[in-house]
Amino acid sequence: MITSGYSFISFIICFAAGVFFIEEKLKSKTKFFEVIPPLVIIYFGVMLMSTFGFWSLSIDGVKTGAGIARNGMKSAILPSMIFLMLLKCDLRHILKLGPKMLLAFFSATFSIMTGFVVTFMIFKDKLAENSWQAFGALSGSWIGGTQNMVAVQQALNLDDVGMGYTLLIDSIDYSIWIMLLLFFVGSSKLIMAFNKFNKADTSIVEELSQHLAALDEEIVKEVTFLDLFGTLAFALGAGAFCVWIAQYLPQTTFLNNTTWSILLVTIMGIIGGMSPMSKVPGSKQLSNIFLYTLIGLIAASANFAELTEAPVYIIAGACILGIHGLMMTIFAKIFKFDLFTCCVASVANIGGVASAPVIAGAYNDALVPVGVLMGMLGAIIGTGMGLIMSKILFSLL
């Protein structure tokens, strides 16, 4: 069992690199990686290893070196990854997506809230008396992120037992949902089929992808040592600077250290994208390394063994997500949303500002700002929506 921070981080990076090495060697011989994208293999593989106890992030409630390293590395990689990906950002194209992404975001919010109401009505007789509070706190997390869940818990005075159920659902069902979304955005065939079925207008996304490809063509092909070293230094420096500054900015339920640092690094990345830095090769390769490592770190705390704990709550969480997914498919048909839009709108609600850029980046580097902005919107409204949901669920008792 791994408890050392160094060994844990090394193992995650080696595993992620190994998956892509195998893909590179076998992609001409098999279509397996076209069906199951490497990102999904990394996520699912790390979840399985976590389940079988390859490492321990905490012992008797005390974080091990691995647990401390995971949290520290995860917090450090995210802003640096966003900075690197934004170096290829073109705001003119991103702004064209604005109205459509807002409609998709609130469609996702509405479908999640509907899922909570329907699921609670089905399962309320099988749950604890304070389940309306537990589900209220969960709705805060699934409309904007974990910081909203904590705010709702405090507002409702949810006890530790009820919060335990909330954290259980949030851990298991969220982990499986993220894995599904990674599968969706990583499968080109599924994307094409979904978009064709909905007659989605993908012209802006395609135009942005072509624009990004054209920029890559203009950049020198060979990546030098100085390119990589300099770009890495700028990315880590920008991330560290934003995390440091965030400590001194006003803290609210939705503007915490993480949210501030991501907002600041987004601004820095957009500025960098308008500077000569956007022409320096190597940012794409480095950002992808950060992305794949981050996905492994996110999955490292999941544990399938928890499926046997309070199964009714976990099934209820799956029911909420199932209703959300079904309604988003219907909304996609009505409003002609493409698959990328649906996935990012979903995770901007359910995962918040820390997860939405990851899904956006897994689809296309240039679309990271969409994930950041939608995640910010979720962080802003999450606490309020969680409290509203609590009142609705209490009225259904």
Side-chain angles (χ1 to χ4, degrees):
M1 179 188 294
I2 298 173
T3 56
S4 161
Y6 174 78
S7 299
F8 171 73
I9 298 298
S10 300
F11 184 87
I12 294 294
I13 294 175
C14 287
F15 176 73
V19 170
F20 280 94
F21 176 79
I22 294 171
E23 184 216 15
E24 182 67 25
K25 294 298 181 182
L26 298 181
K27 65 181 180 181
S28 60
K29 302 176 183 179
T30 176
K31 294 185 177 180
F32 175 79
F33 290 99
E34 294 181 15
V35 179
I36 308 295
L39 291 178
V40 176
I41 296 174
I42 292 172
Y43 195 91
F44 184 72
V46 173
M47 284 180 68
L48 277 181
M49 287 185 282
S50 175
T51 301
F52 287 110
F54 276 51
W55 51 78
S56 176
L57 301 181
S58 64
I59 298 176
D60 295 331
V62 179
K63 289 188 181 298
T64 62
I68 295 171
R70 174 190 175 270
N71 292 346
M73 192 77 167
K74 185 168 167 281
S75 299
I77 284 180
L78 181 61
S80 298
M81 181 199 78
I82 291 173
F83 176 81
L84 288 171
M85 288 183 168
L86 288 176
L87 292 180
K88 306 299 180 185
C89 168
D90 192 327
L91 273 183
R92 293 169 300 176
H93 295 276
I94 296 299
L95 292 176
K96 293 178 183 178
L97 289 168
K100 182 179 182 181
M101 297 306 295
L102 282 175
L103 180 59
F105 176 87
F106 286 110
S107 296
T109 302
F110 177 75
S111 64
I112 291 169
M113 294 184 72
T114 303
F116 271 97
V117 172
V118 173
T119 300
F120 188 76
M121 291 177 67
I122 295 172
F123 288 91
K124 63 180 181 179
D125 293 334
K126 300 178 179 64
L127 305 173
E129 291 183 4
N130 68 341
S131 58
W132 66 275
Q133 293 175 306
F135 275 61
L138 180 64
S139 68
S141 177
W142 283 6
I143 306 175
T146 305
Q147 72 275 9
N148 293 320
M149 175 174 64
V150 175
V152 175
Q153 177 209 10
Q154 293 175 348
L156 297 176
N157 293 317
L158 176 62
D159 60 34
D160 291 342
V161 175
M163 192 60 179
Y165 290 135
T166 301
L167 292 171
L168 183 64
I169 301 172
D170 193 40
S171 172
I172 290 295
D173 293 303
Y174 162 79
S175 297
I176 294 173
W177 189 249
I178 290 293
M179 183 171 63
L180 286 174
L181 295 184
L182 285 171
F183 173 74
F184 293 155
V185 299
S187 173
S188 57
K189 290 183 178 179
L190 186 59
I191 291 171
M192 291 177 62
F194 186 91
N195 294 344
K196 183 178 180 180
F197 173 74
N198 292 325
K199 298 180 181 178
D201 179 13
T202 59
S203 57
I204 299 176
V205 176
E206 290 172 358
E207 182 183 350
L208 184 58
S209 299
Q210 292 170 4
H211 176 71
L212 181 63
L215 286 178
D216 286 341
E217 288 294 325
E218 295 175 4
I219 296 175
V220 180
K221 297 294 182 182
E222 182 182 359
V223 182
T224 67
F225 167 76
L226 188 58
D227 291 332
L228 284 176
F229 212 171
T231 304
L232 178 62
F234 266 106
L236 294 176
F241 176 75
C242 292
V243 170
W244 176 68
I245 289 292
Q247 301 176 72
Y248 302 99
L249 295 175
Q251 305 291 311
T252 68
T253 55
F254 60 87
L255 281 175
N256 57 10
N257 283 345
T258 299
T259 309
W260 271 122
S261 62
I262 290 175
L263 180 60
L264 291 172
V265 85
T266 297
I267 295 171
M268 289 187 67
I270 291 172
I271 294 172
M274 295 185 289
S275 73
M277 280 196 67
S278 64
K279 304 294 184 183
V280 178
S283 61
K284 183 179 180 67
Q285 290 88 338
L286 287 172
S287 65
N288 283 339
I289 291 172
F290 284 163
L291 174 64
Y292 307 144
T293 303
L294 184 61
I295 287 172
L297 293 174
I298 291 172
S301 63
N303 192 331
F304 283 123
E306 292 177 344
L307 287 170
T308 60
E309 300 179 21
V312 175
Y313 281 86
I314 294 172
I315 293 170
C319 184
I320 294 169
L321 293 176
I323 293 170
H324 160 59
L326 177 61
M327 290 185 67
M328 280 303 292
T329 303
I330 295 171
F331 287 140
K333 184 67 175 177
I334 296 172
F335 299 116
K336 303 187 187 311
F337 295 146
D338 59 278
L339 186 58
F340 163 78
T341 300
C342 291
C343 289
V344 175
S346 174
V347 79
N349 278 274
I350 296 171
V353 71
S355 300
V358 175
I359 296 297
Y363 180 84
N364 189 313
D365 297 0
L367 294 172
V368 165
V370 176
V372 173
L373 294 174
M374 292 182 73
M376 288 290 296
L377 181 58
I380 291 170
I381 70 169
T383 300
M385 299 306 291
L387 293 173
I388 291 172
M389 179 55 59
S390 301
K391 293 182 178 180
I392 294 173
L393 297 180
F394 181 73
S395 69
L396 294 174
L397 288 174

Coordinates of all heavy atoms in Angstrom, one line a residue, residues 12 27 66 147 175 206 223 254 261 284 317 347 359:
I12 N 0.8 7.7 -10.2 CA -0.3 8.2 -11.0 C 0.2 8.7 -12.4 O -0.4 8.4 -13.4 CB -1.0 9.4 -10.3 CG1 -1.7 8.9 -9.0 CG2 -2.0 10.1 -11.2 CD1 -2.9 8.0 -9.3
K27 N -2.8 1.7 -31.6 CA -3.9 2.4 -32.2 C -4.0 2.0 -33.7 O -5.1 2.0 -34.3 CB -3.8 3.9 -32.1 CG -2.6 4.5 -32.8 CD -2.7 6.0 -32.5 CE -1.5 6.7 -33.2 NZ -1.5 8.2 -32.9
A66 N 0.5 10.6 1.0 CA -0.2 10.4 -0.3 C -1.4 11.4 -0.4 O -1.7 12.0 -1.4 CB -0.6 9.0 -0.6
Q147 N -18.2 23.8 -2.3 CA -18.3 24.9 -1.4 C -19.7 25.3 -1.1 O -20.0 25.7 0.0 CB -17.5 26.1 -1.9 CG -18.1 26.9 -3.1 CD -17.7 26.2 -4.4 OE1 -17.1 25.1 -4.5 NE2 -18.1 26.9 -5.5
S175 N -18.4 10.6 -9.2 CA -17.2 9.9 -9.8 C -17.6 9.2 -11.1 O -17.0 9.3 -12.1 CB -16.5 9.0 -8.8 OG -16.0 9.7 -7.7
E206 N -16.7 24.1 -34.5 CA -15.8 23.7 -35.6 C -14.9 24.8 -36.1 O -13.7 24.6 -36.4 CB -16.7 23.1 -36.7 CG -17.4 21.8 -36.3 CD -18.3 21.4 -37.4 OE1 -18.5 22.1 -38.4 OE2 -19.0 20.3 -37.3
V223 N 9.9 21.5 -30.8 CA 9.8 22.1 -29.5 C 11.2 22.0 -28.8 O 11.7 20.9 -28.6 CB 8.8 21.3 -28.6 CG1 8.7 22.0 -27.3 CG2 7.4 21.3 -29.3
F254 N -19.4 31.5 -2.4 CA -19.1 31.1 -3.8 C -17.7 31.6 -4.3 O -17.2 31.1 -5.3 CB -20.2 31.5 -4.8 CG -20.4 33.0 -4.9 CD1 -19.7 33.7 -5.7 CD2 -21.4 33.5 -4.1 CE1 -20.0 35.1 -5.8 CE2 -21.7 34.9 -4.2 CZ -20.9 35.7 -5.0
S261 N -8.6 31.9 -7.5 CA -7.4 31.5 -8.2 C -7.7 31.2 -9.6 O -6.9 31.5 -10.5 CB -6.6 30.4 -7.5 OG -7.4 29.2 -7.4
K284 N 0.7 23.1 -25.5 CA -0.3 22.0 -25.7 C 0.1 20.7 -25.1 O -0.7 20.1 -24.4 CB -0.6 21.8 -27.2 CG -1.7 20.8 -27.5 CD -1.9 20.7 -29.0 CE -3.0 19.7 -29.3 NZ -4.3 20.1 -28.8
G317 N -29.1 8.8 -5.7 CA -28.2 9.7 -6.5 C -28.1 9.4 -7.9 O -28.1 10.3 -8.8
V347 N -21.5 19.3 -16.1 CA -20.4 19.2 -15.1 C -20.2 20.6 -14.4 O -19.7 20.7 -13.3 CB -19.1 18.7 -15.7 CG1 -18.4 19.8 -16.5 CG2 -18.2 18.1 -14.6
I359 N -13.4 18.9 -18.2 CA -14.2 18.3 -19.3 C -14.0 19.1 -20.6 O -13.9 18.5 -21.6 CB -15.7 18.2 -18.8 CG1 -15.8 17.3 -17.6 CG2 -16.5 17.7 -20.0 CD1 -15.4 15.8 -17.9

